Amino acid sequence: MQRATMDLWVGMFVMAGIGALLVLAFKVGNLGTYSAADSYTLTGNFENIGGLKVRAPVKSAGVVVGRVTDIQFSTETFDALVVVSIDKRYQFPKDTFASILTSGLIGEQYIGLAAGGDEAVLMDGDKLMKTNSALVLEEMIGRFLFDKASEGGGRENAGSD
Amino acid sequence: MPRRIVIGIRGVGHRVVDSIWRLGYASRFFLLILLKSGTSLRRFGLITREIYFTGVLSLIIILVSGLFVGMVLGLQGYETLQRYGAESAVGTMVALSLLRELGPVVAALLFASRAGSAITAEIGLMKATEQLAAMEMMAVDPVARVVAPRFWAGVISMPFLAALFSAVGVFGGYLVAVVLIGVDEGSFWSQMQDAVDFRYDVVNGIIKTCVFGVAVTAIAVFEGYDASPTAEGVSGATTRTVVTSSLAILGLDFILTSLMFRGMS
Amino acid sequence: MTPEVLIEIKNLNFSYGERSVLKGLDMTMSRGKVIAVMGGSGSGKTTLLRLIGGSVRPSSGYVKVAGKLVHELKRDELFRMRRKMSMLFQFGALFTDLTVFDNVAFQMREHTDLPESMIRDLVLMKLQAVGLRGAHNLMPAQLSGGMARRVALARSIALDPLLIMYDEPFTGLDPISLTVIGNLIRRLTDALGMTSIVVTHDVQESLKIVDYVYFIADGVIAAHGTPAEVRGSVAPFVHQFVHGEEDGPVSFHYPADSYASDLELENGFA
């Protein structure tokens, strides 16, 4: 085997390998659509996150605008602290409403952002003030039954037992 | 009877001491390779030559296996997912299986049996035919001149081979699911891209292949260098390379998976 | 004129664990000579070469090469010394993944910064000396045993060493190749003014070309002398070895208990 031929083969091998890595990154993966480098971070407190997981999508009007990067339990407020990373291209008003939604009946849970009307926009590290918890099926059924039972009665206090 | 028990215990002790000694010897050899890598990194031509033998010559088996693994994943995935009406998720399943597990692991297993055994046999034969001793007498260090270039060539080739395996596998899954069965092409790709995260899935897969590449080639060069210089010695060493590195791949895969993907999605 | 001493060996002892291989050797080897070291299989001849080359350390005593104690050299000093030495291994030990040309060029490329054109000239000169210039493009697998040995010889003179050690250079060669190699050893030694140590048990061939012979048996020097002295020697060991007799001081039987007692014949019928 001549040296030059060998070098040619090795060169083609390395280029094919790099090509495969690029295919995996852009065609198979999501590097083309969402890049972690150009993003900013927001936090939000949720009373109940249901089945929300790290890396779940953040959508606005059905478009993926970011991802959940961290979920923690806050010992100060005794609720869930969720950190999300949002694509720099998308700016949201200060009074944006964040709620945990479910795609389909048994699909994964995601955070939906509904833009408000404020002039000022959310900056890196800001807090989402208006949040709405996940709908937990058991609680919904419980509330429904409680409502039925106390129908015609006075004011009820849902969520206690 | 007690005598036999004593002999038995002694046998166990002997094996334990022996394998610890061998492990220490292997780690020392590994450090030696790293220390003496200067020559081969300065003269990159030495490594290029070995990349040809370990990487390029492994291409055929890696590409063919990748294609078939991807096609089988496509078939099985469709078979199961269509029961739940989720056949468009078949791309997601194929891509995640390949990127996270099958790509790195199967490519590394193939690499161990194709290139790892060849490295062991080559170095072992060089030892058996006194080529290494001759080199030593010519004041050329065989670890720097023979072992280190093969080690680095293996470490460099492995991630590329695994990436090619996964890419061809995804293509195989696409062939079966979209072209053959008729899953919608748009949802095949978009669901895949939605579920596959670059940092989480692709990069973790690459990290795995790098670790496997280091493990397989380190085992292969060690077994070759350590082989007893006879025909039986070399063939035994070749077998040990394949067995040891396969077990190492699977063990490391478990450890890495539990570190990378624990408690997520 | 007394020739300059290149190698001096004093009271050299070496043992593998409990088994002692060499017991108190004394030798001197002068520049420009071909010295044969003969002895039966397993008599420690190859070990002697390894001691001279510094691959193993003596248990006691010393080997001095060009005035330096080999076993006291540090690794880089040893490697520097080895550039002045060469060793021809039993079956040549050519690098099977390199062509004949690259094999001969190996040391020049590793140890010198010579331009490629000069390396090419040097390699072809070395190959010409062993008569294989025409084979420079072949791979070692394409060579016959004798040719491989000659290429290895060309490779070992690549950097014009002071000393070449030959480990069984005649093993497995046909009579023609055997004469060719023998004459090459003699011619190259004379032409390059180096010293050759030939470890062999091929008595007749080596007696034709060497200047001095050492016989080693059981780790000690059993006899030594010039070829003429050796041929005429009446010492029983030398006589047995030179004429290849089956029994003599070197016994046919491996040391054992008496045959009768091994077969339990002595007191087995009590």
Side-chain angles (χ1 to χ4, degrees):
Chain A
M1 175 70 62
Q2 281 300 304
R3 188 57 205 270
T5 340
M6 213 179 265
D7 284 351
L8 183 70
W9 272 106
V10 171
M12 291 195 322
F13 167 68
V14 170
M15 276 159 61
I18 292 173
L21 282 174
L22 292 178
V23 165
L24 293 181
F26 291 102
K27 182 79 182 165
V28 177
N30 55 359
L31 196 65
T33 54
Y34 164 71
S35 159
D38 293 325
S39 61
Y40 61 99
T41 314
L42 300 176
T43 57
N45 287 66
F46 290 87
E47 215 172 279
N48 191 334
I49 59 163
L52 189 75
K53 297 214 168 65
V54 170
R55 283 194 344 104
V58 178
K59 296 183 183 179
S60 186
V63 179
V64 177
V65 296
R67 285 197 187 272
V68 174
T69 53
D70 194 21
I71 297 175
Q72 276 169 4
F73 181 69
S74 164
T75 47
E76 290 161 24
T77 46
F78 296 102
D79 57 8
L81 178 70
V82 176
V83 182
V84 298
S85 141
I86 307 288
D87 196 319
K88 267 237 162 66
R89 287 175 295 174
Y90 307 117
Q91 302 283 330
F92 289 94
K94 282 263 187 221
D95 59 346
T96 294
F97 206 89
S99 36
I100 295 175
L101 305 168
T102 308
S103 56
L105 194 60
I106 53 168
E108 60 169 357
Q109 285 186 305
Y110 65 96
I111 294 182
L113 298 180
D118 203 322
E119 292 282 303
V121 292
L122 286 163
M123 305 301 286
D124 187 48
D126 278 357
K127 192 162 199 138
L128 290 157
M129 298 312 287
K130 298 162 106 179
T131 61
N132 199 0
S133 287
L135 287 178
V136 180
L137 208 58
E138 296 92 314
E139 279 183 13
M140 270 169 64
I141 294 169
R143 201 180 311 190
F144 176 73
L145 290 176
F146 192 87
D147 285 356
K148 278 276 177 207
S150 57
E151 222 169 35
R155 312 187 68 81
E156 83 289 341
N157 197 350
S160 67
D161 55 336
Chain B
M1 199 58 187
R3 216 178 97 82
R4 206 172 274 176
I5 294 173
V6 169
I7 290 176
I9 293 173
R10 203 183 289 155
V12 171
H14 180 75
R15 277 177 181 232
V16 169
V17 170
D18 227 42
S19 40
I20 290 176
W21 184 85
R22 206 174 145 74
L23 196 68
Y25 182 54
S27 332
R28 232 187 58 171
F29 184 68
F30 182 65
L31 281 180
L32 205 65
I33 296 176
L34 296 185
L35 282 179
K36 293 184 175 176
S37 294
T39 320
S40 44
L41 295 178
R42 260 196 311 281
R43 289 165 59 189
F44 205 76
L46 292 175
I47 298 183
T48 319
R49 212 190 103 86
E50 300 306 329
I51 292 180
Y52 178 80
F53 287 109
T54 50
V56 176
L57 294 186
S58 306
L59 265 183
I60 300 272
I61 187 164
I62 289 284
L63 293 181
V64 172
S65 311
L67 188 70
F68 277 98
V69 167
M71 282 162 59
V72 168
L73 277 176
L75 269 181
Q76 292 282 14
Y78 178 79
E79 199 51 38
T80 310
L81 291 171
Q82 56 109 18
R83 286 184 211 171
Y84 307 101
E87 61 265 25
S88 58
V90 68
T92 310
M93 199 202 106
V94 171
L96 285 183
S97 318
L98 280 167
L99 286 173
R100 289 186 183 177
E101 290 298 333
L102 291 175
V105 171
V106 178
L109 289 174
L110 291 171
F111 182 74
S113 38
R114 169 66 185 79
S117 61
I119 290 173
T120 305
E122 198 187 8
I123 296 179
L125 273 177
M126 288 184 84
K127 191 179 182 192
T129 53
E130 297 187 306
Q131 293 179 47
L132 297 185
M135 203 172 272
E136 182 101 10
M137 280 304 298
M138 292 179 193
V140 175
D141 191 331
V143 175
R145 182 63 175 69
V146 173
V147 174
R150 282 167 177 75
F151 173 74
W152 286 111
V155 171
I156 293 169
S157 301
M158 185 64 234
F160 291 140
L161 288 174
L164 283 164
F165 185 96
S166 296
V168 169
V170 169
F171 178 69
Y174 166 82
L175 275 186
V176 166
V178 177
V179 178
L180 210 66
I181 299 176
V183 172
D184 178 58
E185 182 165 357
S187 53
F188 179 89
W189 289 116
S190 64
Q191 289 221 9
M192 186 191 292
Q193 285 170 2
D194 218 33
V196 175
D197 184 62
F198 176 72
R199 258 189 311 176
Y200 189 66
D201 297 313
V202 180
V203 172
N204 276 348
I206 294 172
I207 291 172
K208 273 189 179 183
T209 61
C210 292
V211 174
F212 296 162
V214 171
V216 171
T217 26
I219 290 170
V221 292
F222 173 71
E223 289 290 355
Y225 199 78
D226 187 53
S228 50
T230 58
E232 301 87 59
V234 175
S235 75
T238 313
T239 314
R240 270 204 306 282
T241 293
V242 176
V243 173
T244 317
S245 43
S246 304
L247 291 177
I249 290 165
L250 296 171
L252 284 171
D253 184 51
F254 177 74
I255 295 171
L256 289 174
T257 303
S258 62
L259 289 178
M260 290 169 172
F261 300 102
R262 184 179 43 190
M264 293 180 178
S265 85
Chain C
M1 167 191 127
T2 46
E4 192 188 339
V5 172
L6 182 70
I7 298 179
E8 192 190 341
I9 296 173
K10 265 267 150 29
N11 190 27
L12 184 69
N13 286 287
F14 182 78
S15 46
Y16 281 116
E18 297 285 289
R19 198 167 64 87
S20 95
V21 182
L22 298 174
K23 301 166 211 159
L25 294 195
D26 291 307
M27 295 176 165
T28 43
M29 301 177 181
S30 315
R31 261 185 202 168
K33 301 285 183 200
V34 180
I35 296 112
V37 178
M38 296 194 203
S41 312
S43 58
K45 297 170 310 216
T46 307
T47 309
L48 177 63
L49 294 190
R50 287 160 64 83
L51 282 163
I52 296 174
S55 322
V56 290
R57 294 172 61 88
S59 319
S60 66
Y62 65 82
V63 177
K64 240 183 201 177
V65 177
K68 284 185 186 135
L69 285 174
V70 172
H71 66 271
E72 284 185 352
L73 294 177
K74 292 197 188 70
R75 190 174 165 82
D76 48 334
E77 291 172 328
L78 183 68
F79 268 33
R80 219 173 301 136
M81 187 191 80
R82 283 185 185 165
R83 293 188 195 184
K84 294 275 152 210
M85 298 181 170
S86 269
M87 183 145 163
L88 189 74
F89 284 84
Q90 198 160 0
F91 294 103
L94 292 177
F95 302 130
T96 39
D97 54 342
L98 301 178
T99 62
V100 166
F101 184 95
D102 290 335
N103 261 286
V104 179
F106 185 80
Q107 284 190 85
M108 304 178 190
R109 288 185 179 145
E110 294 292 330
H111 291 319
T112 69
D113 292 322
L114 295 177
E116 196 59 24
S117 63
M118 191 181 285
I119 288 181
R120 188 186 144 80
D121 295 347
L122 282 172
V123 169
L124 292 181
M125 276 162 59
K126 306 291 176 188
L127 282 172
Q128 175 74 12
V130 298
L132 288 175
R133 189 168 43 85
H136 71 92
N137 264 335
L138 299 182
M139 294 304 284
Q142 295 167 287
L143 303 175
S144 70
M147 283 160 81
R149 219 70 60 91
R150 277 149 76 188
V151 173
L153 194 51
R155 184 178 68 177
S156 53
I157 58 169
L159 291 182
D160 299 327
L162 291 175
L163 168 71
I164 301 192
M165 296 178 274
Y166 303 82
D167 189 5
E168 310 274 7
F170 303 120
T171 311
L173 291 183
D174 61 80
I176 302 173
S177 312
L178 205 136
T179 314
V180 169
I181 295 286
N183 290 339
L184 270 177
I185 292 174
R186 180 77 251 180
R187 271 217 308 279
L188 290 173
T189 307
D190 293 342
L192 301 174
M194 51 190 198
T195 307
S196 291
I197 305 174
V198 184
V199 157
T200 180
H201 37 230
D202 195 303
V203 182
Q204 301 309 329
E205 186 56 39
S206 42
L207 285 185
K208 278 189 245 165
I209 57 159
V210 302
D211 298 307
Y212 207 80
V213 182
Y214 285 97
F215 283 101
I216 298 184
D218 295 328
V220 296
I221 294 175
H224 57 99
T226 61
E229 288 167 5
V230 166
R231 279 209 187 84
S233 170
V234 289
F237 171 78
V238 177
H239 192 267
Q240 185 197 359
F241 201 89
V242 172
H243 298 279
E245 288 161 355
E246 187 182 43
D247 227 339
V250 178
S251 162
F252 169 70
H253 289 291
Y254 190 82
D257 293 342
S258 99
Y259 194 33
S261 77
D262 249 8
L263 297 183
E264 298 175 3
L265 293 177
E266 275 174 348
N267 40 22
F269 297 111

